[in-house]
Amino acid sequence: MEDNITIPLSYISQYNYCKRRAALLMNEQLWNENSYTAMGRGEHEHVHTPAAEHTSNCIVITDMPVLSEKMHLFGKCDAVEMNEDINGFVIPFLDNKKYIPYPIEYKHGVLRNETEYELQLCAQAMCIEEMYGCHIDKGAVFYITSHRRHEVFFYEDKRKAVFETAAQLLNLLNSQTVPQAEYSPKCKKCSLNDLCMPNTEKSAKKYMTMIRDSFKEE
Ligand code: SF4
């Protein structure tokens, strides 16, 4: 596998939701729409148009491409607020003023605290830092239905988790493996449920044990 290979940044979130889901998407190229993914896609459309909106002391950039060579990740930020700040950084594609970037990830639903989204957001911040030599302390997940922001701080533990997830994704990609299903309450909402069949392996195992036991009894 080539060294410069890159992985879609959104898989950071997928992997932390379920390793098998990330591998099915990445290695088996599976996709299935359900009501959750359809709603999320519909609500995202307005931030999936590249634009730069100027307000006082802030430029909001939507659909901003990001990349990390260190983590082999690429993707897009739904929105990045570039907040003018004398302690900030010159962002080369803007002007000569200093800014502190503040990434915002849009998600379907009401305000909640989901680690996988926080890690996806942190990965975006780490990509921006690597690209523009800046430092970003925080960003936000914006929940579209409740119209509320959940602010996320990029502490060292989150950064470490992002780095480790990126390495694990690269391992999965290089090995072209798919971890076994582990049924959990998350499976009910998972759009890949029909394709993954998380209960089948256990049922098959149970069936094989039953057959084996029946032979022992004979
Ligand atoms: S159905 Fe469950 S085990 Fe299968 S990919 Fe989805 S979350 Fe993972």
Side-chain angles (χ1 to χ4, degrees), residues 66-131:
V66 291
L67 173 82
S68 165
E69 288 181 5
K70 282 184 202 159
M71 296 188 289
H72 302 268
L73 295 176
F74 75 98
K76 284 187 174 179
C77 297
D78 286 339
V80 181
E81 286 180 359
M82 297 290 184
N83 294 300
E84 211 179 309
D85 191 309
I86 49 164
N87 297 314
F89 307 86
V90 174
I91 306 293
F93 68 89
L94 296 175
D95 45 31
N96 287 329
K97 294 177 184 165
K98 289 184 173 176
Y99 295 93
I100 295 186
Y102 185 94
I104 304 168
E105 174 65 19
Y106 283 65
K107 291 294 180 196
H108 160 70
V110 294
L111 185 70
R112 56 198 190 272
N113 185 354
E114 280 174 325
T115 309
E116 62 265 26
Y117 294 160
E118 295 189 1
L119 294 179
Q120 182 181 350
L121 184 72
C122 185
Q124 292 171 4
M126 290 165 74
C127 287
I128 298 170
E129 288 176 342
E130 187 180 325
M131 289 170 78

Side-chain angles (χ1 to χ4, degrees), residues 17-18 20-21 24 181-182 186-187 190 192-193 196 198:
Y17 184 83
C18 168
R20 179 171 168 84
R21 181 177 164 87
L24 289 173
E182 282 175 31
K186 290 178 179 178
C187 298
C190 176
L192 297 185
N193 193 310
C196 165

Side-chain angles (χ1 to χ4, degrees), residues 2-43:
E2 289 175 31
D3 241 15
N4 61 357
I5 200 150
T6 49
I7 295 164
L9 190 148
S10 59
Y11 288 0
I12 293 282
S13 165
Q14 303 287 1
Y15 186 91
N16 283 284
Y17 184 83
C18 168
K19 293 174 194 176
R20 179 171 168 84
R21 181 177 164 87
L24 289 173
L25 291 168
M26 188 168 64
N27 293 344
E28 302 287 333
Q29 307 287 302
L30 293 184
W31 176 249
N32 201 19
E33 189 93 298
N34 69 3
S35 58
Y36 297 102
T37 57
M39 277 190 280
R41 197 167 38 77
E43 288 177 342

